[in-house]
Each structure stands twice: as C-alpha cells, then as structure tokens.
Amino acid sequence: METVWLGEFTSLFILAFALGLDAFSVSLGMGMQRMRLKRIFFLGMLVGIFHILMPFIGIIIGKLVSAPLNDMTMLVGGLLLMGIGAHMFFSSFRDDKKPQSPIGIGVVLFAFSVSLDSFSAGLSLGISGVGVLMAVLMFGVMSMILTWTGFLLGRKAKGFLGVYSELLGGSILCAIGLNMLF
C-alpha cells in the first residue's frame, strides 16, 4: 500500500512540475520587465489558485465521464496528456510570443491561460481515478513556486530558459501519457 502511495505521489509530483513549467516559462519572460516583488507575489498566488481550481474541475468532470467509459479510461487519459504535452512542446517554437506585464483583467487572464493545461491534465487524472486532494494541492503549490521562480530568474537573466522549459514540460507530459498507454 505504501508503494502505491509513493508511486502516485512521485507521478503527481512530476506531472505538477511539468504543468508548472508553462507558468514558469511565461513568468520568466514577464520577469525580464520591471516588476515589484509585491506584484510577483500576488501573481504567483493567483496562478497557484488557478492551478488548484482548474484541475479540480477537470478531475470532477473526469470522474463523471469515467464511469460510463470504464475500459477506455487509461487510453483517453494517456491521449489527453500526450496531446497537452505535444501542444506545449510545439508552441515553444512559436516566435510570436511577446511577454507583457499583466494589468487589470489581464492578471486573471494570465493565471487562467497558464492553468488551462492543468484542467486537461485534471480531466485525464479524474478518468484514471487519482486522489483529488493530493493532486490539486501539488499542482497549486508547484505552479506557484515555479511562477515565483520564473519571475525572479527573469529579473536576473535576459534569456533563453523560457523556450527550453516549455520543451521540457511538454516532453514530460508526453512521457507520462505514453506511460499511461503502455
């Protein structure tokens, strides 16, 4: 029983890290602009809250959908994670990203946009029957920490880490999806 819990914890930790890398890469680019530490703290908290709410909603919907699908749950969950990972991976090659400091409703849109992939991941986790509380708390805390880290590193580095973090995050999600399939 303890091995099962440790395996689920490890998988969720890796998934939370991969999903948080999207927020990290966006905040890294935004952190290269002048931004007060108070604002960085607030944005990190907001991203963390959205990374709790979005996968929670996804897990609930996934649990509702998984009852009729029973046999197909791992297939659907794995395909969803692979799709999210592929999207993150290939979107890192786009040149039209121009980070801007969010203001007003842009703050909520920023937190929402970097949390969308966690909704889909939550949906696939709900289908596979993962523990809800551990998953959403891990997603929220990890994304909040990675967002703060991205902003703070962005203040120091003028750089190249953003693209590579999205590539890594997308690769990890694809690998977890493949693991669920095979």
Side-chain angles (χ1 to χ4, degrees):
M1 187 67 164
E2 194 171 306
T3 307
V4 172
W5 182 85
L6 184 61
E8 184 176 331
F9 178 83
T10 304
S11 296
L12 284 175
F13 182 83
I14 293 169
L15 182 58
F17 181 77
L19 291 172
L21 284 175
D22 193 29
F24 171 80
S25 63
V26 173
S27 61
L28 183 69
M30 289 172 39
M32 291 179 202
Q33 302 172 3
R34 294 292 273 174
M35 198 175 298
R36 297 176 56 186
L37 289 176
K38 186 176 171 181
R39 184 162 187 78
I40 290 172
F41 177 78
F42 173 73
L43 286 171
M45 292 290 290
L46 193 61
V47 167
I49 290 168
F50 269 86
H51 267 83
I52 289 172
L53 292 175
M54 296 297 282
F56 178 74
I57 294 167
I59 288 172
I60 298 302
I61 292 171
K63 284 183 186 268
L64 293 173
V65 170
S66 71
L69 294 178
N70 220 5
D71 296 332
M72 307 258 314
T73 58
M74 291 304 273
L75 174 67
V76 172
L79 290 174
L80 276 172
L81 285 176
M82 285 182 54
I84 298 164
H87 181 295
M88 276 179 69
F89 184 86
F90 290 114
S91 72
S92 69
F93 294 107
R94 290 183 28 212
D95 286 337
D96 61 346
K97 297 184 228 175
K98 185 178 179 196
Q100 296 178 354
S101 179
I103 54 173
I105 192 70
V107 171
V108 175
L109 291 176
F110 160 69
F112 178 76
S113 67
V114 297
S115 302
L116 275 177
D117 53 351
S118 66
F119 169 78
S120 302
L123 187 63
S124 64
L125 290 175
I127 289 172
S128 67
V130 74
V132 177
L133 183 62
M134 182 171 36
V136 297
L137 287 178
M138 198 172 297
F139 285 7
V141 169
M142 183 63 74
S143 64
M144 181 174 56
I145 290 170
L146 286 172
T147 300
W148 288 336
T149 304
F151 276 122
L152 295 175
L153 283 177
R155 291 177 79 166
K156 301 289 181 198
K158 299 288 184 193
F160 67 96
L161 293 176
V163 171
Y164 297 114
S165 66
E166 271 192 276
L167 283 171
L168 177 62
S171 300
I172 290 172
L173 288 177
C174 285
I176 292 172
L178 282 172
N179 187 37
M180 286 177 73
L181 292 174
F182 302 105

